[in-house]
Amino acid sequence: MDIFSIFTLCGGLAFFLYGISEMSAGLEKIAGGKLELILKKMTSNPFKSFALGAVITALIQSSSAVTVMLVGLVNSGIMNLSQTVSVIIGANVGTTMTAWILSLAGIKGTSAGVFLKCLNPEVFSPLLALAGIILIMTSKSVKRKSVGSVFMGFAILMFGMIVMADSMAPLADMPAFQKTLIAFSNPLLSMLIGLVVTMIIQSSSASIGILQALSLTVGIPYQMAIPIILGQNLGTCISAALSAIGVNTNAKRVAAVHVIYNIICVGLALPLFMLGNWLFDIPFLTNNVTPFSIAVTHTIYNIITAFAFFPFFKFLEKAAVWAVPEKSSSNKQQVILDERLMLAPSFAISECYRQTVKMAEMVEFNFTGSTKMLKSFHQKKAEQIEENETTIDTYEDKLSSFLIKLSGKELSEDDNNRISQLLLAIGDYERIGDHTSHILNLAQRINESEHKLSDDAVKELKVIVDAVSEIFNLAFEAYKTDNIRLAQEIEPLESVIKKIIRNVKNRHIQRLKDGLCTPELSFMFSDLLADFRRIAAHCGNIAISVIQLKDVNLGKHEYNHRNKEDDSEYNSKYKDYKSRYNVPKVETESDSTNPIQT
């Protein structure tokens, strides 16, 4: 084996790792909302969590990625430690799927039937690559492009494996390499090989693939392969350990569960293997492995350890709590969304949406509380509202930054549209929060003022508050449920609110001219009207973002300035809102020259 063979081996490894990455990304995009729903269903039920862990890992082809995601979920407070233990055990079973896919490379020889020969990657990989590139270049559908990416990723992965196998073929005739194999026949050294290689490339699936490629050209006996597989399972813990840096205590415990579980499994399996081989001198252990037998061994080991330790998942949780003790300063910083969630963009977008709903709930609380303060001011409630406003600002900053980073990922069209909607909605809810905070300040000033608002002004404000409360609730419900019908009801209500405020503003000016209102109260009352007007406008923006999610080609200007005369539904709702929120007209001297429109 010369230097050129080493170059070829490195190139094959590069193709192999890239193929795994490309195929995993394509599978995650195809899963999209399905993966999101699977993750949403994670509960405290250990059996369901175990199955979900296996399914998710089989989908994204990496137990390390699942564990890193779990660390992010717990660090963000989305899941708790007990929910993750069974998921991690299931993930160790799900990761065996890759080895079975790679085992197809071992189907060779004239003895294989026509059907089995067709399963040989050397036969069908070029066809998959052709189909994949056609789908990527010609399809407009994101789903079809993702299927093409999976095909291309698989073809590249298999090509890389074949290149690695061919580059290592000269090793079979090298006496020096055979001596090296004999030197590493010690189970502890073999386990160390698997451990180190997996830690370097941070993927047990990839290291299993390298072992399978090596077995195609070089005789690797079971007595060496089994300890290597054990070491590979232990080496995959490095990703979880690295992901635990800079997270809170519970998130560190998730990584600890993954590490403790694999250490215990390998710590028991390796001595039993060595003891059994020493006592019974098992004959088949001297036979050479194949890609298929490696997949079988890997699966059997992970299934046996999973079912052996599944009843003791509570013990693993307690062991993690013991290994990572609570620190008083570990949970001080609030984490809204952990960047580790970006490993699954569809799920990360879903969690951004969930956090935006939480943000909107805080805005709703502030709006309701601030408007009530106009009637009777309470300092303690005011302090709670101000504290909420600070939290709302934090949510806006963190969520916007997270979504902007997430938009740099390779996303489906649906995910890109959802990110655009989220960014717009986050901005609108934050602005509404600012206006409610300003209303609170005005309420305090009005309550502290020597002069009080007139009875007419109070009645007018009540009509406006009721109308704006309804438009906010409609916008929130439409956003929370992606309900276009509700979103379409917001525009006529916004139009009614505009006219009510214009009407009230004219009446207020007349009261000021008649000396029924002081200049100080006049400025505060005008500011209140402006705040309510802007809140209604932001609710209108939220409604449009919901509608645009279903019709991406619809522009905001185009929607607002369309011809509404023939829109019977709009006109019907407008008349309904106008009759419900109507400020009685007051005749004034100015009515003859500037009639108030209601």
Side-chain angles (χ1 to χ4, degrees):
M1 187 175 184
D2 55 18
I3 187 67
F4 298 105
S5 296
I6 295 174
F7 289 164
T8 304
L9 174 63
C10 293
L13 178 60
F15 280 119
F16 182 81
L17 294 175
Y18 177 75
I20 286 181
S21 175
E22 187 70 13
M23 187 170 68
S24 298
L27 286 168
E28 199 277 330
K29 284 183 184 177
I30 292 171
K34 293 179 183 178
L35 177 61
E36 173 186 318
L37 290 174
I38 290 171
L39 288 165
K40 282 286 186 185
K41 290 180 181 178
M42 285 183 178
T43 66
S44 56
N45 184 321
F47 297 100
K48 186 182 289 186
S49 297
F50 173 84
L52 293 174
V55 170
I56 295 165
T57 307
L59 283 173
I60 64 176
Q61 303 278 300
S62 174
S63 61
S64 298
V66 170
T67 305
V68 172
M69 283 171 57
L70 291 175
V71 171
L73 289 167
V74 173
N75 195 44
S76 300
I78 298 166
M79 293 181 66
N80 57 50
L81 176 64
S82 61
Q83 288 177 295
T84 65
V85 179
S86 299
V87 180
I88 290 171
I89 297 174
N92 274 37
V93 175
T95 194
T96 60
M97 179 62 69
T98 309
W100 283 102
I101 295 172
L102 299 176
S103 68
L104 296 173
I107 301 175
K108 290 185 176 181
T110 56
S111 60
V114 175
F115 176 73
L116 289 178
K117 284 182 179 179
C118 290
L119 293 179
N120 187 339
E122 290 187 28
V123 174
F124 68 80
S125 286
L127 298 178
L128 272 185
L130 179 61
I133 197 64
I134 289 173
L135 285 172
I136 291 171
M137 294 182 68
T138 61
S139 297
K140 294 182 179 179
S141 166
V142 176
K143 289 282 186 183
R144 290 181 181 177
K145 286 181 180 289
S146 298
V147 171
S149 295
V150 173
F151 288 171
M152 282 297 297
F154 182 82
I156 294 169
L157 179 153
M158 284 301 181
F159 175 75
M161 190 168 182
I162 293 167
V163 170
M164 285 194 295
D166 291 343
S167 69
M168 290 185 283
L171 292 175
D173 301 322
M174 290 178 61
F177 183 75
Q178 296 299 330
K179 290 180 181 179
T180 303
L181 283 182
I182 294 172
F184 280 100
S185 60
N186 183 302
L188 289 174
L189 289 176
S190 298
M191 190 271 290
L192 188 63
I193 291 173
L195 173 68
V196 172
V197 171
T198 308
M199 288 179 68
I200 291 172
I201 61 178
Q202 294 191 33
S203 172
S204 60
S205 297
S207 60
I208 286 285
I210 293 172
L211 180 63
Q212 289 174 306
L214 187 62
S215 70
L216 288 170
T217 54
V218 179
I220 307 284
Y222 278 95
Q223 62 186 7
M224 181 178 178
I226 291 174
I228 288 176
I229 292 171
L230 297 181
Q232 289 167 334
N233 275 268
L234 188 57
T236 193
C237 295
I238 186 66
S239 298
L242 292 174
S243 71
I245 297 173
V247 298
N248 62 35
T249 300
N250 280 330
K252 288 179 180 177
R253 287 170 178 168
V254 174
V257 168
H258 187 65
V259 174
I260 291 169
Y261 172 72
N262 281 285
I263 287 176
I264 293 175
C265 290
V266 174
L268 291 176
L270 187 61
L272 285 174
F273 169 77
M274 295 171 67
L275 181 63
N277 190 28
W278 180 69
L279 289 175
F280 304 106
D281 193 21
I282 304 171
F284 88 89
L285 292 179
T286 57
N287 296 339
N288 291 334
V289 294
T290 64
F292 178 77
S293 62
I294 289 171
V296 171
T297 304
H298 187 225
T299 302
I300 290 174
Y301 166 75
N302 280 286
I303 288 177
I304 289 175
T305 52
F307 281 98
F309 279 91
F310 186 76
F312 305 103
F313 69 92
K314 285 292 183 184
F315 163 77
L316 289 171
E317 182 181 348
K318 291 178 181 178
V321 172
W322 173 81
V324 185
E326 187 72 54
K327 293 182 180 179
S328 58
S329 61
S330 61
N331 295 316
K332 284 185 178 179
Q333 187 177 5
Q334 181 189 17
V335 178
I336 295 173
L337 281 169
D338 194 291
E339 291 194 8
R340 293 162 184 81
L341 300 183
M342 291 187 188
L343 285 169
S346 293
F347 178 69
I349 292 169
S350 172
E351 288 310 314
C352 285
Y353 168 75
R354 193 180 73 90
Q355 295 292 346
T356 306
V357 170
K358 285 176 64 177
M359 176 184 174
E361 287 171 348
M362 287 186 279
V363 174
E364 181 183 34
F365 176 87
N366 280 13
F367 174 77
T368 303
S370 296
T371 52
K372 286 181 179 179
M373 293 287 189
L374 291 168
K375 185 176 181 181
S376 178
F377 190 84
H378 298 280
Q379 185 59 40
K380 286 187 177 179
K381 290 183 180 179
E383 289 173 0
Q384 187 177 359
I385 291 171
E386 289 294 351
E387 186 177 337
N388 258 14
E389 174 58 21
T390 302
T391 306
I392 291 166
D393 289 339
T394 302
Y395 266 70
E396 191 268 341
D397 178 52
K398 298 294 184 183
L399 286 169
S400 296
S401 300
F402 185 91
L403 285 167
I404 289 170
K405 289 181 182 178
L406 191 59
S407 65
K409 301 282 184 180
E410 191 174 349
L411 303 170
S412 67
E413 185 178 353
D414 289 342
D415 285 342
N416 275 316
N417 292 336
R418 176 62 87 173
I419 286 178
S420 298
Q421 185 212 30
L422 283 167
L423 286 170
L424 291 171
I426 289 166
D428 283 311
Y429 278 123
E430 196 277 332
R431 298 292 92 75
I432 293 173
D434 289 342
H435 288 296
T436 58
S437 182
H438 191 232
I439 290 171
L440 177 66
N441 293 332
L442 291 171
Q444 183 175 10
R445 289 167 57 191
I446 290 171
N447 277 273
E448 291 174 351
S449 175
E450 295 179 0
H451 304 283
K452 300 301 177 185
L453 292 173
S454 66
D455 290 342
D456 287 341
V458 171
K459 290 177 183 177
E460 292 163 356
L461 276 179
K462 187 179 185 307
V463 173
I464 293 171
V465 168
D466 289 344
V468 176
S469 295
E470 178 165 358
I471 198 173
F472 180 88
N473 291 332
L474 279 173
F476 185 27
E477 189 63 27
Y479 176 77
K480 190 164 56 173
T481 59
D482 283 335
N483 191 321
I484 291 182
R485 184 186 61 79
L486 286 179
Q488 289 171 338
E489 293 181 9
I490 290 171
E491 187 186 20
L493 180 53
E494 184 186 357
S495 298
V496 169
I497 290 171
K498 284 180 184 178
K499 291 198 174 184
I500 291 172
I501 291 175
R502 189 183 306 123
N503 183 358
V504 169
K505 189 176 289 186
N506 287 338
R507 295 174 64 164
H508 169 66
I509 292 171
Q510 187 59 45
R511 284 195 297 270
L512 184 62
K513 289 179 179 178
D514 295 340
L516 300 176
C517 180
T518 65
E520 180 188 6
L521 280 178
S522 174
F523 286 125
M524 289 188 280
F525 190 79
S526 296
D527 286 346
L528 278 174
L529 296 180
D531 284 323
F532 287 125
R533 171 67 188 87
R534 293 308 306 155
I535 289 173
H538 287 299
C539 290
N541 292 342
I542 293 169
I544 292 173
S545 72
V546 173
I547 296 169
Q548 285 178 324
L549 194 62
K550 304 297 181 183
D551 184 2
V552 294
N553 296 319
L554 179 65
K556 179 181 175 181
H557 182 82
E558 174 191 354
Y559 180 76
N560 285 334
H561 293 84
R562 72 190 188 284
N563 183 12
K564 304 182 184 70
E565 291 181 2
D566 299 328
D567 192 334
S568 59
E569 188 174 347
Y570 172 89
N571 290 316
S572 174
K573 293 303 296 183
Y574 178 83
K575 290 177 182 177
D576 177 47
Y577 288 132
K578 185 177 178 182
S579 64
R580 287 163 53 192
Y581 301 111
N582 185 31
V583 178
K585 184 176 178 181
V586 177
E587 292 294 334
T588 67
E589 294 179 2
S590 61
D591 287 341
S592 58
T593 56
N594 184 23
I596 299 171
Q597 300 297 320
T598 60

